[in-house]
Amino acid sequence: MTLTSERLQALVEADDPVDVVWEALWDIWCPAGRSPAEHYDHDREMASVELERQLVNIYWEFYSRDLPRRCANQASIDVPNDGAFLVMDAMSVREASLFASALESGGFDVDVSYSYATVPSETTPYKERVGYGDLEKEYRSGTVRDLDPSLSGDERLVWSRYPDALLENIQEGKTELSSVEEAYEDSLNVLRSILDQLDADRVVIGSDHGYVREESGYSFPISDGEKTRLRGVFDGQRFARVDEADGDSLVADRMAVEADGYYMPVGRYTWPVRGKYSIYQHGGLSLMECLTPRLEVQR
């Protein structure tokens, strides 16, 4: 996927450039593939990489200004008056397209839009930003921690640990504990079970953050020296506190941004670290991590 001349013009002229970028990203992942294996194929992921590469090259302000400003100020959970809000931890645009297709096939009406992770794009900062502790006190809440959910049905706010709990176990190294396709299938089963158990006819499904895939070929090409520089600032994470690291040179070279007290790598800049680690990472500032899907589901 590339930014067409029409979309480039729209990006420049738009009151809200994020709308244009989300539309381009959604067009990559929707309609969903006929199977999870087809959906998560190389071409779609590479199209997402190319979209980000173009944005970094021709519209740097999207990363230095627009996206971090939105993430720092507009991450939110709005529990509907006539329904419930469900957070699917680490649901990205990839899974959202598949979920929407599966739910529509099951007789649900699904409306798709987007929201924001916070900075850094991690669960704990997100919960702090949206005031999740206060929301749990205001609304009857539940947390899904295993693949066989058990809810009372009258919950207005539910946090599902999936797909993140599955994705974080997919490791680089000798042992691959599962695949992204298997993580999706298990997460879909959890989602269906939650919707079956909730009494609400309307459920808004959101996400705290997405993720980037760090398999070979899904990163921006950079030199070994640049990888060393990124590793020196971030080590094995995709964010670092400004008062604990010096990432100014990375910011100057447009490989990272500083926002809300953190340095974060931009787009698909990734680097290897020693030992086994999850190849599905989050915490940085990229479309796949920070533009989170929002599904409004009606029975």
Side-chain angles (χ1 to χ4, degrees):
M1 168 64 66
T2 58
L3 288 170
T4 63
S5 58
E6 291 81 6
R7 276 211 171 115
L8 284 173
Q9 183 175 352
L11 194 60
V12 172
E13 297 176 351
D15 292 333
D16 188 349
V18 184
D19 286 343
V20 180
V21 174
W22 169 258
E23 182 182 89
L25 185 63
W26 184 248
D27 281 353
I28 293 171
W29 293 98
C30 185
R34 290 172 293 182
S35 68
E38 179 184 298
H39 185 75
Y40 287 100
D41 72 0
H42 176 77
D43 290 345
R44 288 182 194 249
E45 198 67 39
M46 285 305 301
S48 300
V49 174
E50 181 59 26
L51 175 61
E52 293 233 56
R53 195 201 311 270
Q54 282 192 297
L55 281 173
V56 168
N57 289 339
I58 66 177
Y59 190 18
W60 174 246
E61 292 79 10
F62 185 82
Y63 292 96
S64 64
R65 182 192 63 203
D66 298 341
L67 189 56
R69 183 183 298 167
R70 302 298 180 85
C71 289
N73 296 296
Q74 295 188 27
S76 65
I77 288 178
D78 53 328
V79 179
N81 293 329
D82 58 346
F85 196 104
L86 165 62
V87 180
M88 294 295 288
D89 198 323
M91 176 181 67
S92 73
V93 62
R94 309 170 185 86
E95 290 75 35
S97 176
L98 284 166
F99 286 154
S101 177
L103 293 176
E104 287 172 343
S105 296
F108 291 92
D109 292 327
V110 183
D111 182 61
V112 180
S113 57
Y114 67 88
S115 187
Y116 301 96
T118 189
V119 287
S121 48
E122 291 271 338
T123 296
T124 298
Y126 178 83
K127 282 188 170 182
E128 292 172 352
R129 182 78 64 182
V130 303
Y132 197 79
D134 292 335
L135 290 171
E136 285 185 300
K137 296 175 184 177
E138 183 177 355
Y139 299 101
R140 181 166 178 79
S141 305
T143 302
V144 173
R145 296 185 175 88
D146 58 57
L147 296 174
D148 187 20
S150 179
L151 299 172
S152 62
D154 60 349
E155 289 87 354
R156 300 283 308 286
L157 179 64
V158 178
W159 190 289
S160 166
R161 285 280 291 115
Y162 303 98
D164 198 39
L166 300 166
L167 292 170
E168 66 187 14
N169 288 327
I170 302 176
Q171 297 180 342
E172 187 72 75
K174 294 182 179 179
T175 304
E176 185 171 290
L177 300 182
S178 61
S179 68
V180 66
E181 294 87 357
E182 291 169 332
Y184 160 72
E185 293 283 12
D186 285 341
S187 299
L188 176 60
N189 289 335
V190 169
L191 173 57
R192 283 172 168 159
S193 180
I194 292 171
L195 294 178
D196 285 345
Q197 293 180 55
L198 287 178
D199 295 333
D201 288 331
R202 180 180 176 223
V203 179
V204 177
I205 305 170
S207 174
D208 53 339
H209 58 77
Y211 60 91
V212 292
R213 297 179 65 170
E214 295 195 355
E215 297 103 314
S216 177
Y218 294 154
S219 302
F220 291 164
I222 54 175
S223 68
D224 289 341
E226 288 168 326
K227 291 177 183 177
T228 298
R229 291 172 60 197
L230 286 161
R231 192 183 305 114
V233 173
F234 298 110
D235 193 21
Q237 298 192 89
R238 287 183 60 78
F239 63 94
R241 293 185 60 89
V242 169
D243 57 0
E244 296 175 354
D246 183 6
D248 288 349
S249 67
L250 293 176
V251 174
D253 290 341
R254 297 188 171 184
M255 299 174 68
V257 295
E258 178 186 341
D260 208 34
Y262 291 91
Y263 294 115
M264 292 160 289
V266 163
R268 295 302 188 92
Y269 286 114
T270 62
W271 56 94
V273 295
R274 291 181 179 273
K276 294 180 179 179
Y277 63 95
S278 174
I279 56 177
Y280 301 134
Q281 297 281 349
H282 51 86
L285 195 78
S286 74
L287 301 184
M288 305 304 286
E289 294 165 280
C290 293
L291 277 185
T292 54
R294 175 187 170 93
L295 310 179
E296 294 197 23
V297 178
Q298 191 82 30
R299 296 182 193 277

